[in-house]
Amino acid sequence: MVSGGICSFKLYTTYNGMVVDDKTIYEIFARLKELGGIAGIHCENRGIIDARLRDVVKRRGDRRNVSDYPWTLSAKSQQSRSDYCPLEGIWLTGRAEQVYLRGTLAAHNDEILRAYGRRYVTAKRV
């Protein structure tokens, strides 16, 4: 993939089906260093999240209201040409209102203020 122009990757330590453990993260970093790629990590702590969810369920029961989660992730809701979102359908209680890139405000309240020479990579269907 790196030789094909895709050189940055995202790793997750929390979401079911996408969890990468510490050993695998290290192996990925080592291999990407050889290939000239980079990786970012969403490094939420799975144990803390699970403990917090147990506390919430104990306190208010296992009831959840859609109004508790005002935003739902989907490929269509993203500022992207991608037709795929790995977290499709996940409910959020918060989201970014401002995004800064290289010290400059690039997006505010869902409006992109400044594009940074984006290069879109098309996905190949298998």
Side-chain angles (χ1 to χ4, degrees):
M1 292 179 82
V2 173
S3 64
I6 300 172
C7 57
S8 64
F9 303 87
K10 189 175 288 187
L11 309 174
Y12 297 92
T13 60
T14 300
Y15 303 110
N16 290 333
M18 294 188 284
V19 174
V20 182
D21 62 41
D22 292 342
K23 177 181 179 285
T24 305
I25 290 170
Y26 176 79
E27 291 168 351
I28 290 169
F29 280 167
R31 183 67 177 136
L32 285 175
K33 181 178 180 182
E34 293 171 11
L35 298 173
I38 60 171
I41 301 177
H42 278 244
C43 52
E44 299 89 350
N45 184 297
R46 180 64 183 239
I48 291 173
I49 291 171
D50 288 345
R52 177 73 179 122
L53 285 173
R54 278 192 304 273
D55 288 348
V56 168
V57 168
K58 187 188 303 180
R59 188 179 68 249
R60 64 180 216 190
D62 197 17
R63 66 184 193 284
R64 297 209 171 120
N65 299 318
V66 173
S67 62
D68 291 342
Y69 305 93
W71 299 286
T72 303
L73 285 176
S74 73
K76 291 179 183 175
S77 70
Q78 302 303 301
Q79 298 280 352
S80 169
R81 291 184 185 175
S82 176
D83 62 351
Y84 172 75
C85 177
L87 304 175
E88 189 80 31
I90 297 289
W91 291 344
L92 303 174
T93 56
R95 64 182 179 161
E97 291 182 3
Q98 295 180 336
V99 176
Y100 287 85
L101 295 173
R102 300 181 190 111
T104 303
L105 183 63
H108 180 73
N109 290 333
D110 292 334
E111 181 184 348
I112 295 177
L113 304 174
R114 182 173 176 194
Y116 278 90
R118 294 178 277 188
R119 181 175 147 233
Y120 289 102
V121 179
T122 58
K124 290 184 180 177
R125 297 283 179 209
V126 207

